[in-house]
Amino acid sequence: MSALNHKLLRDLWRIKGQAGAIALVVAVGVMLLVMMAGMLSSLVETRAAYYERYRLADVFAPVTRAPLSMLDRIAEIPGVAAVEGRVQGGALIDMAGQALPVRASAVSLPAHRVPKLNAIYLSEGRMLSPTRTEEVIVLQSFADAHGLRLGDELTATMYGARRSFRIVGFAMAPEYLFTTAPGEFVPDSARFAVLWMNEEALAAAYDVEGAFNEALIALERGARVEPVMAAVDALLDRYGSLGSYERADHMSDRFISEEIEGLRATAVVVPPIFMAVAAFLLYIVITRLVQSEREQIGLIKAFGYTDWEVSWHYFKMVLVIAILGALLGSVLGIWAGRYMALVYQKFYHFPFLVFRVDASSLMMGVSVSVLAASAGSLVVLSRVFRLTPAVAMRPPAPMDFSRSGAINERLKNWLDQPSRMVLRRIFRNPGRIFGSVIGIAVGMGLSSAQMSVLSGFDETLDLTFGVIDRSDVSVSFFEPMPAKTAFDLAHLPGVIEVEPTRGVSAVLRNGLHTYRGAVTGLVDQAQLNRAVNKDMSDIVLPENGVVLAKPLADILQIAPGDTLVVEVLEGKRPVLEVPVASIAETLLGSPAFMRMDSLNRDMAEWGRVSAAYLRVDSDQLPALYAALKEMPSVAGVTRREDARAAIETLMDSGAGSMRYVMVAIAAIITFGIVYNAARIAFGEQSRDLASLRVIGFTRGETAFVLLGELAIVVLLAIPLGVLIGYYLFFLIAAGFSTDIYQIPTTFRPEAYGMAGAAVIAASVLSGWLVKRDIDKVDLVATLKTRE
Amino acid sequence: MAKDISNIFSVHGLTKVYGEGEAAVHALRGVDLDIPKGEIVVLLGPSGSGKSTLLNIIGGLDRATDGEALFEEQSLSTMSDRDLTRYRRDHVGFVFQFYNLMPSLTARENVELVTEIADDPMDVDEALRLVGLGERMDHFPAQMSGGEQQRVAIARAIAKNPTVLFCDEPTGALDSKTGRAVLHVLNDVNAKLGATVMIVTHAAATAAMAHRVIHFADGAIRSVETNETRLSPDEIEW
């Protein structure tokens, strides 16, 4: 090994603390990059492969009842590659030992062939035998949640009739990556099931023999989806078309698309911040190193080493730090990615999800860190280049503070000398201080913004139960029932209060802008399920007209006073024209609220209800459930406690631990910056500090001169971090908010507090590490040597 | 026998060993010495003879391995770090070869650094005038010559009205003219303030201005002389 390389290794060892801190910042950046980029491509590719292998339809066309012959007509539409008809319907499963029936979707499979579209992945057991009508295949996640086994019996109510089934297989399917019970937002494997059954049996159960109630359509490569959807809707119109929709509007695909987009946005924003911080740190550290080694540089050059060789020597140090950091980051990224993949696979019910270590993201991680590191240090190395041996070996002049004089006069009267030393250093090196402040503030801002988003989710879900839905139990009906049915519920055991509601699924239209959603009809001054805006005050529903949620109004490009066209997708399917009364900021979903009576009036269906919210005496719940099970009109019963428990489980698993990751981000960036700044300040000032000790300053007073600068940096960074976090939070919240859920943008002191605490803790740790060195300073040795 | 209170320092069997075993270096080998108050004392000797080590120990910067060093009858050897800091703060002024000024403070502020923490400091302007720097008190070290910087360092050292002033090679980095000026200042400090001044130096000629000259060799005192007649710094050969 050459002498210079020996020097390199020893120098690295000497600054191991600083090098380690920088490598850590690089590592976190690369880890996030590798993990997120890898996760992103794994998710995108797995989804694509899954969809393709199991032939997920491009267009879904639900219809009331269309004859099978229509399938051939659809196949003739230009651009259609394949068509499959199937029967789908709601069902209630009566689980043994459970008081409440579980909602399910029953889906048909063709008897004598594999389905052309929307095939299933059989994870256990066998396919249905064509002749047996009592066989079912059950969604794997539901089976897992309830510990079901092959051969178990299952009782389900379909279309009012109770039937028994035998489980022959468990399956997953690309259209059920994300399963929520209708009307809910949080996936709960235990409370929503999918049953695959023989077509004939299901058609008989839902009274659609010789017909289908959902057409699945695959498009030819390159075909446009809109004309096909228009043609399908036209063909199916007289059979009760509920309006076709494309795959991207399918709930399951929408949720996973949002996840992918979120991941993509984070992967673009977060890792570069770490790289920029690492570049800045390398810049200041190498600057200091070159400064303190100028004599050595001069000497090496005097020996006859070329400028290139000397610069390369220092550049190698940068490379070693960057590459070590990048390698550590890659390993951590792969490890974290594998773990993430497991979480995703479970959450999204993929039959397979292999975390694919994206070779390009590894390459990118390493090269980006090397580039960032080089950018930071090339400026410094050009200085090495210019240094002539003669100049280098002359001692440097004392740092000139005369130009910081502008503030001198003002400082004079009210600051003691140590404070002046601190302030003059700051004003002499404003760039470095500015860089440190910005770096810490961005780290803290990022961290607090992400934590705000997370607690925004929490709050949304929390408010859903505390403020919006204050019922104990909700009951939905298969079809709109006379108001009397709802009030009959009041006579069931334990029911204290009943509040009916009317939901109508519809396509909302304003000119060319459409949205597939629903209109919710609420009673005047609803108490159990309220319409509230994001300030938690009641939305006043006018006697006429509809109140739209903000994201919905944005999608439809509609304003108060305009007329909203409501194409109802049930019953006689009327087309209503309703004036928009106001726009409200809501938290969950994109509701369109109306008064129930005016909705029913517009629908010309007086006194109809589709669901009811109940307040009940919890002691009598079993009796109530038993009674509800006997009511044929009841499609589903949800206990609020169950929904809440599902949410809490969800938060405890993935989302909760993200909080600690975010705190760690702020802490690591701060530690990297403060520790390095402190070490450098210590290196530059060690002689001054020793002089102070000699003059008779105590350790504490001496530490103040060194750490005062850092305290000011941190104190400047924290409010700036709050500010950055606040605006970043708005950006992220806007990015994350969709028509499915909105992040409430209320100021969350606890998020800023936690991020600020992480910053302070990291600063104190770095300060303490450096203070230990001050205490160890050999006064005599330091004073005897020239800098 | 009663101790002689007129001695500012009394040193008995002072030993300092750096390192251990075979690598051990004996910087001081059992030094005994009394230094009366109010004198100028010059310590002479080749590098590594122990003179600086002695200065560092009685200056409260370093600790002896063995033996005892008394400052006005208080043992420095038994003082805690905190007490040593207090001792330096209240009684000791230091002047070093490389000045050790705070680059971020002006001449005046460098002096104020000390007057702010001292019990009974002199006026800052007075201190700077004593070293002949009344004019340039608002300049930063980077704007000053070596001799000027050294004079600021002396002003800083005397501004607290120290009992004793330690100077380690105070003229080592200076030319003869500025060196003389610095020695003048030290002479004045001794004469006007009554501070004991202890100067470690290679420059044997400096000895001519001292009351007492101590010769060091190999970690021990070779000889102690007292000058009957002292020369003024102007008369010293450089």
Side-chain angles (χ1 to χ4, degrees):
Chain A
M1 195 189 274
S2 77
L4 273 187
N5 283 341
H6 276 294
K7 174 176 171 335
L8 177 74
L9 289 182
R10 298 219 174 99
D11 286 348
L12 270 172
W13 183 249
R14 190 162 49 83
I15 60 162
K16 55 185 180 295
Q18 285 169 273
I22 298 173
L24 193 62
V25 173
V26 173
V28 174
V30 172
M31 177 187 102
L32 292 172
L33 185 72
V34 167
M35 181 187 84
M36 287 173 173
M39 205 57 238
L40 196 61
S41 64
S42 302
L43 265 183
V44 168
E45 283 172 28
T46 304
R47 178 175 70 163
Y50 194 26
Y51 284 2
E52 193 182 339
R53 196 177 305 170
Y54 296 95
R55 302 182 295 282
L56 185 66
D58 294 309
V59 174
F60 296 76
V63 63
T64 309
R65 185 182 193 284
L68 291 173
S69 60
M70 291 309 292
L71 292 175
D72 296 333
R73 301 279 306 278
I74 292 173
E76 288 162 11
I77 297 173
V80 171
V83 184
E84 180 71 87
R86 67 177 182 184
V87 179
Q88 192 178 16
L92 283 179
I93 301 177
D94 198 358
M95 296 300 298
Q98 286 214 317
L100 265 182
V102 176
R103 282 196 266 185
S105 195
V107 181
S108 73
L109 286 174
H112 298 285
R113 58 180 175 87
V114 293
K116 282 185 276 187
L117 295 172
N118 288 22
I120 60 173
Y121 162 77
L122 195 67
S123 48
E124 212 183 325
R126 60 168 172 82
M127 282 295 179
L128 304 168
S129 88
T131 51
R132 311 294 289 262
T133 58
E134 80 285 7
E135 291 182 355
V136 286
I137 293 172
V138 177
L139 190 67
Q140 175 83 55
S141 55
F142 176 76
D144 289 344
H146 289 277
L148 297 178
R149 296 188 196 188
L150 295 178
D152 282 357
E153 295 279 326
L154 211 60
T155 311
T157 309
M158 290 175 178
Y159 218 46
R162 255 171 111 85
R163 305 174 54 183
S164 280
F165 299 96
R166 193 160 54 81
I167 300 171
V168 300
F170 299 124
M172 301 182 183
E175 60 187 308
Y176 297 109
L177 284 177
F178 187 90
T179 50
T180 52
E184 290 188 21
F185 292 90
V186 173
D188 185 356
S189 299
R191 292 192 303 122
F192 181 69
V194 178
L195 305 175
W196 283 276
M197 295 170 54
N198 271 320
E199 198 161 25
E200 279 174 50
L202 204 54
Y206 288 97
D207 199 15
V208 284
E209 283 134 318
F212 63 92
N213 66 10
E214 186 175 40
L216 306 170
I217 298 148
L219 300 181
E220 284 170 351
R221 191 176 286 274
R224 285 188 55 226
V225 68
E226 291 85 3
V228 173
M229 280 166 56
V232 170
D233 288 347
L235 275 177
L236 295 180
D237 188 45
R238 64 197 183 96
Y239 302 104
S241 165
L242 299 178
S244 57
Y245 57 96
E246 58 184 313
R247 184 197 282 172
D249 282 333
H250 193 287
M251 248 329 190
S252 164
D253 188 69
R254 265 180 62 184
F255 268 97
I256 193 158
S257 294
E258 305 239 324
E259 183 71 36
I260 288 173
E261 283 316 307
L263 207 54
R264 200 190 302 275
T266 323
V268 169
V269 173
V270 179
I273 290 179
F274 279 85
M275 293 304 161
V277 169
F280 168 70
L281 290 180
L282 277 169
Y283 169 76
I284 57 172
V285 167
I286 300 296
T287 303
R288 168 64 196 159
L289 191 74
V290 167
Q291 217 168 44
S292 67
E293 294 193 350
R294 42 187 278 140
E295 283 178 65
Q296 296 183 40
I297 294 169
L299 202 63
I300 297 169
K301 283 190 180 183
F303 289 158
Y305 282 91
T306 65
D307 292 341
W308 284 108
E309 284 167 329
V310 178
S311 302
W312 173 236
H313 167 68
Y314 285 96
F315 189 58
K316 271 193 284 190
M317 180 174 285
V318 174
L319 286 185
V320 169
I321 294 173
I323 291 173
L324 282 182
L327 290 181
L328 175 66
S330 302
V331 172
L332 289 177
I334 293 169
W335 175 78
R338 290 214 173 119
Y339 174 75
M340 278 265 281
L342 287 179
V343 173
Y344 271 104
Q345 184 180 358
K346 219 173 153 198
F347 191 81
Y348 283 108
H349 310 309
F350 280 106
F352 51 88
L353 176 60
V354 182
F355 178 70
R356 221 181 52 110
V357 181
D358 193 13
S360 66
S361 71
L362 280 184
M363 289 290 295
M364 198 158 90
V366 174
S367 48
V368 163
S369 14
V370 168
L371 274 179
S374 315
S377 50
L378 280 180
V379 187
V380 191
L381 294 183
S382 71
R383 241 174 267 163
V384 173
F385 217 83
R386 286 200 304 267
L387 217 52
T388 63
V391 172
M393 288 168 73
R394 217 176 293 144
M399 268 196 223
D400 188 354
F401 284 87
S402 55
R403 270 173 304 166
S404 63
I407 54 153
N408 288 347
E409 291 307 314
R410 264 171 260 166
L411 293 182
K412 267 191 178 145
N413 298 324
W414 53 278
L415 278 183
D416 64 356
Q417 304 307 328
S419 310
R420 286 188 214 185
M421 291 174 69
V422 169
L423 282 184
R424 291 228 175 100
R425 269 182 64 84
I426 288 178
F427 282 100
R428 189 174 184 280
N429 267 324
R432 191 161 78 193
I433 300 296
F434 183 72
S436 302
V437 169
I438 292 286
I440 296 173
V442 168
M444 185 189 148
L446 190 68
S447 159
S448 50
Q450 297 275 21
M451 279 192 282
S452 298
V453 168
L454 290 174
S455 41
F457 277 122
D458 288 6
E459 187 185 300
T460 301
L461 296 168
D462 220 38
L463 289 174
T464 306
F465 294 106
V467 178
I468 297 171
D469 183 355
R470 294 190 290 200
S471 68
D472 297 320
V473 171
S474 65
V475 177
S476 61
F477 303 114
F478 277 110
E479 52 193 13
M481 303 300 287
K484 179 178 170 300
T485 315
F487 292 107
D488 284 347
L489 294 175
H491 302 302
L492 295 182
V495 175
I496 299 166
E497 196 178 343
V498 177
E499 190 172 284
T501 176
R502 172 83 207 261
V504 174
S505 46
V507 171
L508 310 177
R509 187 184 295 279
N510 176 37
L512 291 173
H513 306 287
T514 62
Y515 184 80
R516 214 184 145 79
V519 179
T520 308
L522 299 179
V523 295
D524 191 22
Q525 291 179 353
Q527 287 305 309
L528 296 185
N529 186 51
R530 303 155 59 199
V532 298
N533 61 25
K534 69 172 186 178
D535 304 325
M536 292 305 113
S537 50
D538 282 293
I539 294 173
V540 181
L541 298 179
E543 265 187 57
N544 288 303
V546 61
V547 176
L548 296 180
K550 179 88 171 41
L552 185 51
D554 289 344
I555 292 171
L556 294 173
Q557 301 274 304
I558 203 165
D562 295 349
T563 300
L564 176 72
V565 176
V566 179
E567 300 173 8
V568 176
L569 295 176
E570 56 180 67
K572 301 192 194 84
R573 297 190 294 125
V575 176
L576 316 176
E577 294 195 346
V578 188
V580 175
S582 64
I583 311 289
E585 301 242 12
T586 58
L587 287 173
L588 261 185
S590 291
F593 289 116
M594 285 181 78
R595 282 229 204 144
M596 192 169 84
D597 46 7
S598 57
L599 175 63
N600 276 332
R601 183 193 62 213
D602 289 354
M603 297 271 295
E605 293 182 351
W606 296 99
R608 292 279 162 164
V609 304
S610 56
Y613 294 91
L614 312 182
R615 201 153 62 79
V616 303
D617 174 0
S618 56
D619 291 344
Q620 299 202 50
L621 274 177
L624 175 64
Y625 292 156
L628 285 171
K629 270 190 191 177
E630 299 306 317
M631 288 178 70
S633 54
V634 170
V637 179
T638 304
R639 193 174 166 217
R640 199 179 61 146
E641 285 301 308
D642 294 343
R644 179 164 211 154
I647 286 168
E648 275 163 8
T649 313
L650 183 77
M651 293 196 168
D652 288 346
S653 58
S657 57
M658 275 305 281
R659 213 166 298 241
Y660 301 110
V661 175
M662 290 306 153
V663 175
I665 283 181
I668 288 174
I669 288 188
T670 305
F671 178 75
I673 291 175
V674 175
Y675 181 68
N676 272 294
R679 292 277 351 165
I680 287 167
F682 178 59
E684 286 173 353
Q685 290 182 284
S686 56
R687 256 164 54 89
D688 298 350
L689 300 175
S691 303
L692 288 175
R693 292 279 288 128
V694 168
I695 289 172
F697 277 68
T698 62
R699 284 182 179 161
E701 287 163 342
T702 311
F704 167 79
V705 170
L706 178 66
L707 302 178
E709 176 184 332
L710 302 168
I712 289 178
V713 165
V714 171
L715 289 181
L716 287 177
I718 286 178
L720 189 63
V722 171
L723 205 66
I724 292 177
Y726 189 65
Y727 285 103
L728 206 57
F729 172 45
F730 271 98
L731 276 179
I732 297 177
F736 269 96
S737 295
T738 63
D739 51 303
I740 302 179
Y741 45 67
Q742 293 85 45
I743 314 273
T745 47
T746 39
F747 183 74
R748 265 163 245 292
E750 75 278 8
Y752 300 91
M754 269 171 89
V759 165
I760 290 171
S763 312
V764 168
L765 175 67
S766 344
W768 177 74
L769 286 175
V770 175
K771 169 136 189 334
R772 269 195 335 180
D773 294 339
I774 302 180
D775 293 347
K776 275 190 290 196
V777 161
D778 182 343
L779 297 181
V780 177
T782 319
L783 292 175
K784 285 274 177 148
T785 51
R786 207 174 54 194
E787 150 99 310
Chain B
M1 187 183 93
K3 284 183 185 171
D4 187 348
I5 308 213
S6 67
N7 284 341
I8 183 164
F9 292 110
S10 289
V11 169
H12 308 289
L14 203 64
T15 303
K16 178 71 183 178
V17 183
Y18 293 105
E20 285 176 8
E22 286 184 22
V25 176
H26 291 261
L28 288 179
R29 302 166 186 268
V31 169
D32 297 302
L33 182 67
D34 287 320
I35 306 219
K37 269 183 186 162
E39 289 194 348
I40 293 181
V41 180
V42 168
L43 291 83
L44 286 174
S47 294
S49 59
K51 55 192 192 303
S52 291
T53 307
L54 175 68
L55 202 73
N56 291 335
I57 291 171
I58 61 179
L61 297 178
D62 203 352
R63 287 174 182 282
T65 315
D66 199 8
E68 193 182 33
L70 299 177
F71 165 77
E72 293 182 340
E73 299 197 315
Q74 303 165 52
S75 170
L76 295 173
S77 326
T78 55
M79 279 189 190
S80 66
D81 273 3
R82 185 176 293 271
D83 290 338
L84 280 181
T85 302
R86 194 77 232 172
Y87 160 64
R88 292 198 302 269
R89 192 168 179 146
D90 293 342
H91 299 288
V92 182
F94 284 97
V95 177
F96 294 94
Q97 182 177 3
F98 299 113
Y99 333 130
N100 294 315
L101 298 178
M102 300 296 140
S104 55
L105 297 179
T106 62
R108 162 190 278 280
E109 289 167 344
N110 260 287
V111 180
E112 283 172 348
L113 191 62
V114 167
T115 58
E116 275 171 5
I117 60 167
D119 277 345
D120 174 31
M122 67 170 74
D123 182 58
V124 176
D125 296 337
E126 165 87 21
L128 283 164
R129 253 199 311 280
L130 269 176
V131 298
L133 269 181
E135 308 278 291
R136 310 206 58 185
M137 56 175 73
D138 286 325
H139 286 68
F140 284 90
Q143 300 167 302
M144 295 178 151
S145 72
E148 285 173 328
Q149 290 187 52
Q150 190 61 298
R151 279 188 278 167
V152 176
I154 295 173
R156 187 176 67 180
I158 61 175
K160 70 168 71 160
N161 274 322
T163 319
V164 58
L165 195 58
F166 290 104
C167 310
D168 198 349
E169 301 283 3
T171 58
L174 304 175
D175 61 51
S176 60
K177 185 163 167 276
T178 34
R180 272 204 185 87
V182 163
L183 291 183
H184 259 297
V185 172
L186 294 178
N187 209 17
D188 287 356
V189 168
N190 173 252
K192 293 179 185 164
L193 306 178
T196 307
V197 176
M198 295 189 72
I199 305 172
V200 161
T201 181
H202 276 95
T206 312
M209 68 179 274
H211 296 96
R212 190 178 296 260
V213 183
I214 303 170
H215 292 272
F216 271 80
D218 293 332
I221 293 174
R222 175 70 50 85
S223 64
V224 179
E225 308 164 10
T226 47
N227 286 333
E228 294 304 321
T229 49
R230 297 166 52 226
L231 297 186
S232 123
D234 291 330
E235 301 166 291
I236 291 173
E237 285 178 43
W238 206 266

